[in-house]
Amino acid sequence: MLKIGIDKIGFYAPHLYVDMTKLADSRNVDPDKFTIGIGQEKMAVPPVTQDAVTLAANAAVDILDDNDKEAIDFVIFGTETGVDSSKSAAVYVHELLGLNPYARAIEVKQACYGATAGIQMAKGHIAMNPDSKVLVLGSDIARYGLSTSGEATQGAGAVALLISAEPHIMALEDESVYFTTDVMDFWRPVYSDKAFADGKLSNEQYIAFFTRIWEQYKAKTGMELSDFVAICYHLPYTKMGYKALKNVLEEGTEDVQERLLANYKLSTDYNRNVGNIYTGSLYLSLLSLLEQTEELKPGARIGMFSYGSGAVGEFFTGILQPNFQDYLNIDRHHGLFASRSEVTVPEYEAIFEEALPTDGSTVELDIDNDPAKICLAGIADDKRQYVNKVSRVAY
Ligand code: HMG
């Protein structure tokens, strides 16, 4: 049977971050609340020269070779912080990366669930077209506002997943369970650049979705906790997935519990240092797990819990492939974390308040201060001006 799954994974976060202990101090909050109660150390701060398009393009630019660029005939961009109500962010990325023009390019929206929908769509596309590759992007900037209760759960970043037949990293299994119900736990009306959240309700719904979907998954497949080496979660903050896991942990023996908890910790490391990246968050957690340990063996089954407020949830699974470690970009990703610069809380606040014009006026942005390969260089004639500094694609 044709195996379909994740062939390559790329990640990008902006080069600036704020330290959560210092943010807590300036908000008169006990730092333990942010670092232990919420479980975040550093929060990525996007400069005005980065948006959902550039973050995604930067996540993808280093993982694709010329064969990939030719074989990709579908770009699916999951985001809830896109830059245009009509034109998809995928079209910009398609151009910035120089992909095969005989391709589809679309944007998918359902809060943090968008990239998961993209992966499932990609799987269907490849089942029908086994020589194709699909580029699935999850890219967002999470904004709740300064001094709000959501502030500590902001972040920014993107994950790029190359989905193909005979994948090198993880083959996706066919059984999955998905669930939708209308709930106002988190939303962002079109007039607002900041999200609204009913924090307590959102936490409750997340756990209720996981528990319900997990029960259904077990009933449908006969699987149990012991069949999993790890379960990765959508991580709005790193304590959230732990709360969901804790709810079902007693179903496993002591050994299983220990294994799942140890791997959960590894799967939260990157997210703890970036914050919520919405659509990419679950896949950043998978990357964190795969790149933080050499203990995982080919054949291991990993559970994936995707949750997008509003709300849609899905539990699906994948099997690690032979020599999957050879296809990761551990040094590049560790280098990305190591090369970031800290900003002070006042600097973060100033960057947060910096806004692009909404009245049609022209603006030119200084992209020399942004080390990213792909940047937003300004707005002219109501059109965003993007630059790929390496290939010199600019428009
Ligand atoms: P809050 O009201 O500021 O915090 O909001 P809290 O009072 O609930 O405290 C948080 C935790 O810190 C609690 O732990 C406290 O006990 C603990 P818990 O009881 O929950 O285990 N705490 C301390 N721990 C150690 N030392 C201390 C201390 N003080 C307190 N001194 C909240 C927190 C996450 C609700 C808020 O930040 C928020 O509203 N965030 C945005 C919404 C969100 O992230 N929801 C998560 C589920 S929904 C989701 O995942 C979807 C989403 O990604 C969007 C999408 O789908 O697009 C958000």
Side-chain angles (χ1 to χ4, degrees):
M1 219 179 87
L2 186 69
K3 283 187 197 169
I4 302 172
I6 301 173
D7 192 51
K8 294 183 178 179
I9 313 180
F11 160 64
Y12 186 76
H15 70 292
L16 304 175
Y17 71 86
V18 68
D19 182 284
M20 295 303 281
T21 300
K22 293 176 188 163
L23 183 63
D25 284 341
S26 81
R27 301 292 183 252
N28 292 320
V29 168
D30 180 349
D32 285 354
K33 175 176 174 184
F34 287 178
T35 57
I36 300 169
I38 286 180
Q40 294 302 123
E41 296 283 337
K42 292 175 180 168
M43 186 167 86
V45 174
V48 71
T49 43
Q50 292 294 312
D51 62 16
V53 168
T54 60
L55 293 170
N58 284 309
V61 69
D62 289 322
I63 63 165
L64 305 179
D65 58 28
D66 288 344
N67 289 340
D68 298 328
K69 290 183 188 178
E70 203 46 47
I72 291 170
D73 65 356
F74 201 177
V75 183
I76 306 177
F77 197 125
T79 186
E80 53 179 298
T81 54
V83 299
D84 194 294
S85 295
S86 296
K87 177 167 174 165
S88 85
V91 172
Y92 292 111
V93 173
H94 176 272
E95 177 71 16
L96 285 162
L97 299 180
L99 303 182
N100 163 30
Y102 291 96
R104 296 184 178 124
I106 62 165
E107 190 168 307
V108 173
K109 179 175 69 186
Q110 178 22 62
C112 298
Y113 176 72
T116 303
I119 288 172
Q120 298 298 358
M121 237 185 270
K123 196 162 166 255
H125 179 75
I126 289 163
M128 301 294 287
N129 306 278
D131 295 331
S132 293
K133 295 184 182 183
V134 181
L135 180 63
V136 176
L137 303 158
S139 179
D140 278 297
I141 295 175
R143 284 167 67 88
Y144 295 92
L146 302 177
S147 302
T148 61
S149 73
E151 182 180 31
T153 62
Q154 296 177 146
V159 174
L161 300 140
L162 187 65
I163 308 295
S164 75
E166 304 306 329
H168 286 112
I169 297 179
M170 188 164 101
L172 298 172
E173 295 186 289
D174 286 339
E175 300 284 11
S176 81
V177 171
Y178 29 93
F179 183 75
T180 296
T181 194
D182 186 1
V183 43
M184 291 304 280
D185 62 330
F186 164 104
W187 66 104
R188 186 166 67 86
V190 286
Y191 52 79
S192 176
D193 72 345
K194 299 180 194 77
F196 295 82
D198 182 335
K200 192 167 177 295
L201 178 67
S202 71
N203 288 349
E204 284 166 8
Q205 287 300 318
Y206 180 112
I207 294 169
F209 264 61
F210 175 68
T211 311
R212 183 169 188 158
I213 290 173
W214 172 244
E215 285 302 319
Q216 181 71 5
Y217 177 80
K218 284 188 299 179
K220 190 173 167 184
T221 62
M223 296 268 190
E224 47 188 58
L225 273 191
S226 59
D227 291 303
F228 291 87
V229 166
I231 300 180
C232 293
Y233 288 84
H234 164 59
L235 293 176
Y237 54 95
T238 66
K239 179 90 167 283
M240 185 73 250
Y242 172 70
K243 290 188 203 188
L245 176 61
K246 203 174 61 176
N247 225 27
V248 301
L249 208 53
E250 280 183 2
E251 294 173 17
T253 60
E254 219 168 284
D255 282 358
V256 170
Q257 295 193 20
E258 256 174 45
R259 178 175 81 214
L260 291 177
L261 282 173
N263 283 334
Y264 177 76
K265 194 161 181 299
L266 294 168
S267 77
T268 58
D269 193 57
Y270 284 4
N271 306 66
R272 173 180 283 275
N273 286 289
V274 174
N276 194 355
I277 61 166
Y278 290 160
T279 45
S281 168
L282 168 61
Y283 304 97
L284 182 57
S285 167
L286 173 66
L287 197 61
S288 180
L289 172 69
L290 299 182
E291 295 188 349
Q292 304 295 322
T293 173
E294 288 175 10
E295 300 298 311
L296 295 173
K297 299 281 175 271
R301 176 177 288 109
I302 297 184
M304 303 282 288
F305 176 62
S306 183
Y307 178 78
S309 282
V312 179
E314 178 159 350
F315 186 80
F316 64 102
T317 62
I319 304 288
L320 294 180
Q321 296 301 291
N323 306 318
F324 69 92
Q325 279 103 343
D326 297 346
Y327 298 88
L328 300 171
N329 292 292
I330 300 177
D331 291 347
R332 186 182 302 134
H333 294 143
H334 287 181
L336 188 147
F337 280 110
S339 65
R340 295 191 302 171
S341 309
E342 183 179 347
V343 291
T344 63
V345 173
E347 282 166 346
Y348 142 70
E349 290 173 343
I351 294 169
F352 186 92
E353 299 287 17
E354 210 176 335
L356 293 168
T358 52
D359 61 356
S361 53
T362 295
V363 62
E364 220 175 284
L365 301 172
D366 181 4
I367 58 168
D368 292 339
N369 289 328
D370 185 340
K373 289 183 179 162
I374 297 169
C375 295
L376 175 68
I379 300 183
D381 300 329
D382 293 303
K383 296 171 195 155
R384 287 187 175 234
Q385 312 292 311
Y386 289 110
V387 174
N388 181 335
K389 295 175 186 168
V390 178
S391 72
R392 303 261 162 233
V393 170
Y395 67 99

